Amino acid sequence: MSEAMAHGSGVALPANQPDLESHLIQLQNDLSWVQDHGSKAECAQAIESIEGTISSLRYAQAGLAHQLEKEVLRENEERGTNIDDQVRGAASRIAIARKRTQHGSRNYLINCRILFEDTPSISAAYSRGEFTEAQIQAMLTPLQDVRPLRRTEFDAIYGQNPGMFESMGPKRIKETVTNFTIKYISDREDKKLKEANAQRYVRFRKDREAGCVFLQARLPIVGGTGLQMMLRDQSFRIKRKGDARTRTQIQADLLARYMFFGEDSEQAINVQLGLIMTDKSLFMGDREPAYLEGYGFIPAQTARELIGGHQIPNELTFEEMEAELTPENIERIEVMTEITRLYTAPGDQELITMDSKARIFPEKLKKFIRIRDRHCRTPFCDGLVEETDHVTQYARGGKTSVSNSSGRCAICNKAKQATGWYEYTAFRNRHSMMICPGSAMSYRSTAPPATGYLHKPFPQLMCDSKWLAQFKERLNQPDEPGFMEA
């Protein structure tokens, strides 16, 4: 019991407090029985049930926080206090009540406001325990950057596609929502990236107590991401050869060695990054965001400039340039370049597959899978794709192909070898698979679409779904008179 409760906080307990305590006691007794006597499947199901209950309680906690904020606002309005910030004090009270640091408490309150005022479908799913608090925060934080109308629009999209976040971890959820929001704030984001580029730096700090030198750098997204990906790939390659150093030690040694290369060095450093964008964004000025491998979604204008090799001035956004189409601006916008593209299926947004008869995945196919999956395909894991593996094992007849492949982090790739763990491709979909982690539960893992934030159904699947819906309607209809005698 907290000290405030022990000395009396002046707040009366709810009338149904004994009922709540009795429910909690019964829940603890049930969980104790499962803990002592339950099978693996029963333990896993109980863990999932607890997580759902916690999420529902977190939803109620968010509702209380939103109500507290409104009460603080009403109180400040009546007293005429805190005119410049009428919700001052609400975040601090909530942080203390949740036993959390004050850092980020305002952001939490803003997300609560969005949850209950702009996103009813997401709020309903949260109340049912379908999302954890971390997933909800990852979902709502990018929506802070757009107007309430756009938030409601995204909520309507979710309401029509309730499975769009299925088996996603917080990072993938944030990427998906950012893909939606960035096209509405593309000018602002593009300008922010240019300002960050102008503020690049490298700093060294000596720490004599630790006996080392700390390196801190701020790099442009292409150079910084390229360096990160190169060090990552090289460390994996060297580690696979049996090097005794850790991967972080290898990366530090490689970085230190690269720093001593002069401009006239004969050793060339070649960095290749994958950039996915639609043809409309590239050639017609569409605002559909592009995806930069190793970084995430970037504004379409930023991607166009990366391909074209030209940048608009830092003080102008793309909209400002369009408003004043001088010959100089037109020359900056209209650029010609040689382009290497990854093609998608006609009329669709999925990357076209490519197969191999080899037992081991070729390097180009590994890169394709890494770009396609972006994160580890194990449900709710946001790890980097470190290894490529067969969904159906090669020894069991699985093919070395895109449709039978999945990108995994090193830990998850080892975990899937556990007894009883089973995986298979779902519904002959080259981008989706079912995972049964040795319990009665199963999860579907779907690779993100190459562009956009939703998978578009193939025409054949749309026809099948209509036929299935009509068939279900016929089954639910009452029997016509004389039907059984016919």
Side-chain angles (χ1 to χ4, degrees):
M1 183 179 293
S2 68
E3 186 176 351
M5 292 178 63
H7 293 282
S9 60
V11 179
L13 293 174
N16 60 345
Q17 184 73 16
D19 293 335
L20 178 60
E21 291 182 355
S22 64
H23 288 312
L24 290 176
I25 293 173
Q26 182 61 43
L27 176 62
Q28 290 174 352
N29 292 335
D30 294 339
L31 294 177
S32 297
W33 185 93
V34 175
Q35 185 176 353
D36 295 335
H37 307 286
S39 62
K40 290 190 300 182
E42 289 173 335
C43 289
Q45 288 174 347
I47 292 172
E48 187 174 272
S49 178
I50 291 172
E51 195 63 37
T53 302
I54 292 173
S55 297
S56 297
L57 292 174
R58 290 295 186 194
Y59 165 81
Q61 192 178 56
L64 294 171
H66 182 52
Q67 181 61 30
L68 188 151
E69 182 189 40
K70 291 193 293 185
E71 290 296 323
V72 170
L73 174 63
R74 180 184 59 79
E75 185 179 83
N76 285 329
E77 285 180 343
E78 291 178 352
R79 295 182 177 181
T81 56
N82 297 328
I83 303 299
D84 58 330
D85 184 7
Q86 293 189 319
V87 295
R88 181 180 298 170
S92 299
R93 296 180 188 180
I94 292 169
I96 293 174
R98 299 182 75 220
K99 300 180 181 179
R100 304 289 180 91
T101 176
Q102 302 290 332
H103 179 72
S105 56
R106 282 227 171 203
N107 185 73
Y108 172 77
L109 266 184
I110 294 172
N111 285 343
C112 291
R113 200 181 308 150
I114 294 173
L115 180 68
F116 291 99
E117 295 181 4
D118 302 325
T119 55
S121 298
I122 295 175
S123 178
Y126 191 22
S127 69
R128 296 190 295 268
E130 296 180 12
F131 299 112
T132 65
E133 184 179 52
Q135 290 173 317
I136 281 291
Q137 295 300 314
M139 198 181 304
L140 298 177
T141 299
L143 292 176
Q144 295 181 14
D145 297 329
V146 295
R147 298 176 180 176
L149 179 64
R150 298 303 181 191
R151 300 169 191 162
T152 305
E153 178 184 342
F154 182 81
D155 184 73
I157 293 172
Y158 170 77
Q160 297 170 359
N161 303 273
M164 66 183 295
F165 296 119
E166 184 178 13
S167 300
M168 289 189 185
K171 286 185 180 179
R172 276 195 61 188
I173 289 176
K174 188 173 183 178
E175 281 187 358
T176 302
V177 182
T178 301
N179 194 353
F180 169 83
T181 61
I182 199 170
K183 60 184 176 182
Y184 298 111
I185 56 172
S186 58
D187 292 332
R188 193 194 320 161
E189 286 294 308
D190 182 61
K191 194 170 183 178
K192 182 176 71 175
L193 291 176
K194 289 182 176 58
E195 292 173 350
N197 185 22
Q199 297 171 0
R200 60 189 181 276
Y201 63 81
V202 174
R203 294 173 184 164
F204 293 88
R205 179 172 63 85
K206 297 179 181 178
D207 190 334
R208 298 188 181 278
E209 293 183 359
C212 63
V213 176
F214 287 94
L215 170 64
Q216 183 182 19
R218 179 170 182 165
L219 304 175
I221 59 172
V222 174
T225 304
L227 179 62
Q228 178 190 17
M229 297 294 289
M230 180 180 63
L231 292 176
R232 171 177 172 266
D233 294 342
Q234 290 292 329
S235 64
F236 278 122
R237 182 181 60 81
I238 295 174
K239 190 66 178 177
R240 282 194 292 266
K241 293 182 178 180
D243 197 294
R245 294 173 294 176
T246 65
R247 283 189 50 241
T248 54
Q249 290 174 335
I250 294 173
Q251 291 181 10
D253 294 342
L254 289 173
L255 181 60
R257 192 178 70 184
Y258 292 154
M259 287 180 178
F260 291 102
F261 290 158
E263 291 183 359
D264 298 329
S265 173
E266 296 180 357
Q267 182 168 354
I269 300 176
N270 183 21
V271 179
Q272 295 182 353
L273 292 177
L275 180 68
I276 301 176
M277 65 187 303
T278 65
D279 51 355
K280 290 183 179 180
S281 295
L282 181 60
F283 296 114
M284 301 175 64
D286 191 74
R287 292 177 178 268
E288 180 69 34
Y291 183 83
L292 180 63
E293 180 190 6
Y295 180 81
F297 291 101
I298 59 176
Q301 177 60 19
T302 303
R304 284 190 287 265
E305 292 172 1
L306 293 178
I307 293 175
H310 292 271
Q311 287 191 356
I312 62 176
N314 287 340
E315 67 274 8
L316 292 178
T317 66
F318 194 55
E319 283 184 345
E320 292 167 345
M321 289 184 63
E322 287 179 327
E324 187 180 356
L325 286 178
T326 63
E328 293 79 9
N329 287 345
I330 293 176
E331 183 179 356
R332 291 192 186 100
I333 295 176
E334 295 181 353
V335 294
M336 299 298 293
T337 183
E338 183 179 352
I339 301 166
T340 301
R341 293 183 292 181
L342 290 173
Y343 290 92
T344 59
D348 194 62
Q349 58 191 153
E350 311 298 352
L351 291 174
I352 293 177
T353 64
M354 53 183 178
D355 296 332
S356 170
K357 295 181 180 180
R359 165 66 177 86
I360 301 175
F361 286 92
E363 289 302 320
K364 289 186 177 180
L365 186 54
K366 287 182 179 179
K367 183 176 180 64
F368 182 92
I369 294 166
R370 189 177 68 197
I371 294 175
R372 180 199 68 179
D373 291 349
R374 301 177 188 170
H375 294 284
C376 176
R377 288 288 298 278
T378 301
F380 313 112
C381 180
D382 286 325
L384 293 173
V385 175
E386 300 174 355
E387 301 177 10
T388 304
D389 199 12
H390 297 80
V391 177
T392 301
Q393 296 179 4
Y394 184 84
R396 296 181 178 178
K399 297 181 179 180
T400 304
S401 63
V402 168
S403 58
N404 189 48
S405 64
S406 64
R408 288 320 226 303
C409 67
I411 296 176
C412 290
N413 199 37
K414 294 177 181 178
K416 67 188 290 289
Q417 304 299 327
T419 303
W421 190 297
Y422 185 69
E423 300 179 355
Y424 58 93
T425 54
F427 312 115
R428 297 182 180 179
N429 186 340
R430 66 176 65 92
H431 301 285
S432 186
M433 65 179 181
M434 298 299 295
I435 299 176
C436 306
S439 63
M441 298 170 294
S442 61
Y443 305 87
R444 182 168 62 179
S445 174
T446 304
T451 60
Y453 41 86
L454 283 173
H455 286 277
K456 293 181 180 178
F458 289 96
Q460 180 62 38
L461 292 179
M462 293 178 67
C463 295
D464 291 346
S465 63
K466 292 179 181 178
W467 173 86
L468 184 61
Q470 293 173 357
F471 180 71
K472 288 182 177 179
E473 289 179 2
R474 289 173 57 190
L475 288 178
N476 293 330
Q477 289 177 353
D479 295 335
E480 297 179 1
F483 178 78
M484 296 300 294
E485 290 79 13

